[in-house]
Amino acid sequence: FSGAQQTAPVMVLQANTKREQGKKAQLSNIKAAKAVADVVRTTLGPNSMLKMLLDPMGGIVMTNDGNSILREIDVAHPAAKSMIELSRAQDEEVGDGTTSVIVLAGQVLQAAEIFIEKGVHPTVVVNAYFKAMEEALKIAEELGVEVDVDNEEDITKIVRSCIGTKFAHKWGNLIVDLAIKAVKTVVRQSGTNVEIDIKRYAKVEKIPGGLIEDCVVLDGVMFNKDVTHGEMRRVIKNPRIVLLDCPLEYKKGESMTNLEMMSEEDFKKALESEEDEVRKMCEEILRVKPDVVITEKGVSDF
């Protein structure tokens, strides 16, 4: 016994943390990636099938879009999470090929499995991947065709190829025309800079009933609301619109407020005071003679 002071071990990881190293971890990553690829493999191609998913809200989703399927899957393996992130990045950057990129990544990793088992160092495999990527980019440059965005026929071919494996392809040109018109509606161009932000400027409003042929692209803003009074106009041309960021109702007390009512008259007076507050707000709004009033807050029943 040397008498040296012994120190307690420092715990960096949690007690139940599982850690894998070396060849075992590499093969585990490949198996996890292959498992994710197998989930969406049957949704690719002309004989693809739809997946029925149960979302967190309890609703049923039927789709064969790779990103839509994988974002509903809860995984714990880091390699599987990386595959799902790959699908999300493909969807944001390109908008198509979310299933293909997952299946391709799974096959590429599977091709490297035999070399890992033979003892080839992972850095050698990664360098081979980079060389393959360079060759693939060269071939893509040779096979690539320049597209004129002003040519309606070229754009139509591209969009039709994107929805060819989707459930909506049975409606053919109808969906293609809607998609092209929607993008042309939200495109923003300043000089040589072109911005197409469909997630910010385009919205799909779903209304029960009707046919798919009833779908249209509106150049404007849509609110799925019905009239609340019989005298409200159904059609207003060139309206004066008021946008409010405050509620159209009486303001509640910021601190705890108690009302002591001794009779029915007291209750009526309280209701009348609320109506007076709402009436004053309405009178101020009517001074600008609006046709439509839009507020993001609550509206009083008075």
Side-chain angles (χ1 to χ4, degrees):
F1 182 72
S2 61
Q5 185 177 3
Q6 295 183 351
T7 58
V10 179
M11 299 298 294
V12 178
L13 304 175
Q14 296 182 1
N16 58 349
T17 300
K18 182 180 178 182
R19 184 181 181 189
E20 294 180 346
Q21 302 181 64
K23 184 185 296 185
K24 184 179 179 182
Q26 295 152 10
L27 295 177
S28 174
N29 291 339
I30 293 175
K31 289 181 180 178
K34 287 167 58 179
V36 174
D38 289 339
V39 171
V40 297
R41 190 185 304 275
T42 55
T43 66
L44 187 66
N47 296 325
S48 62
M49 296 179 289
L50 299 177
K51 296 287 186 183
M52 183 181 292
L53 308 173
L54 190 66
D55 62 18
M57 301 300 293
I60 296 176
V61 180
M62 295 185 65
T63 179
N64 63 354
D65 181 65
N67 183 53
S68 301
I69 296 170
L70 294 178
R71 69 186 177 194
E72 299 291 345
I73 297 177
D74 186 18
V75 296
H77 199 283
K81 287 185 176 181
S82 297
M83 293 284 283
I84 295 175
E85 184 68 18
L86 175 64
S87 175
R88 186 193 65 80
Q90 177 75 8
D91 182 61
E92 288 188 356
E93 295 295 329
V94 182
D96 190 38
T98 53
T99 304
S100 303
V101 73
I102 295 299
V103 174
L104 180 61
Q107 288 300 117
V108 169
L109 287 173
Q110 183 178 355
E113 186 176 9
I114 185 173
F115 297 103
I116 297 296
E117 291 176 346
K118 288 182 177 180
V120 178
H121 199 275
T123 55
V124 177
V125 177
V126 172
N127 288 332
Y129 280 149
F130 277 113
K131 289 182 179 180
M133 182 186 68
E134 293 174 359
E135 291 297 322
L137 291 175
K138 290 179 182 178
I139 296 173
E141 288 288 338
E142 295 174 0
L143 299 179
V145 178
E146 187 173 349
V147 176
D148 183 8
V149 294
D150 297 324
N151 189 330
E152 191 82 18
E153 185 178 353
D154 290 349
I155 301 299
T156 302
K157 287 180 181 179
I158 295 173
V159 178
R160 187 179 289 113
S161 67
C162 292
I163 68 168
T165 57
K166 300 294 187 291
F167 184 73
H169 80 280
K170 62 176 65 178
W171 286 282
N173 293 332
L174 175 64
I175 302 298
V176 174
D177 294 340
L178 287 173
I180 295 175
K181 188 176 179 181
V183 171
K184 287 186 175 181
T185 303
V186 301
V187 65
R188 299 288 184 271
Q189 187 169 1
S190 58
T192 57
N193 185 29
V194 178
E195 179 188 8
I196 304 176
D197 192 349
I198 57 175
K199 292 187 177 180
R200 182 178 177 185
Y201 296 117
K203 178 184 177 184
V204 179
E205 187 71 30
K206 301 174 184 177
I207 302 176
L211 301 173
I212 191 71
E213 288 79 7
D214 297 332
C215 296
V216 293
V217 177
L218 298 178
D219 186 5
V221 182
M222 176 183 176
F223 300 95
N224 188 10
K225 299 290 183 182
D226 201 359
V227 295
T228 56
H229 195 277
E231 296 183 1
M232 294 177 69
R233 288 175 288 175
R234 289 281 184 174
V235 179
I236 306 173
K237 295 184 178 180
N238 300 322
R240 290 171 62 88
I241 302 175
V242 173
L243 300 178
L244 303 176
D245 61 352
C246 61
L248 284 175
E249 55 188 0
Y250 67 94
K251 188 177 180 181
K252 300 178 177 64
E254 295 182 359
S255 58
M256 186 178 295
T257 306
N258 294 322
L259 291 177
E260 186 174 350
M261 300 181 184
M262 305 300 294
S263 64
E264 185 179 349
E265 293 296 326
D266 295 338
F267 183 70
K268 289 182 179 179
K269 289 181 179 179
L271 291 179
E272 288 175 359
S273 64
E274 293 178 4
E275 289 184 21
D276 290 338
E277 290 296 323
V278 176
R279 189 176 292 108
K280 289 178 182 178
M281 287 189 287
C282 293
E283 290 173 353
E284 291 294 327
I285 294 173
L286 290 174
R287 288 173 60 186
V288 298
K289 298 179 181 179
D291 295 309
V292 179
V293 179
I294 300 173
T295 176
E296 61 180 354
K297 307 291 184 180
V299 179
S300 175
D301 294 332
F302 297 127

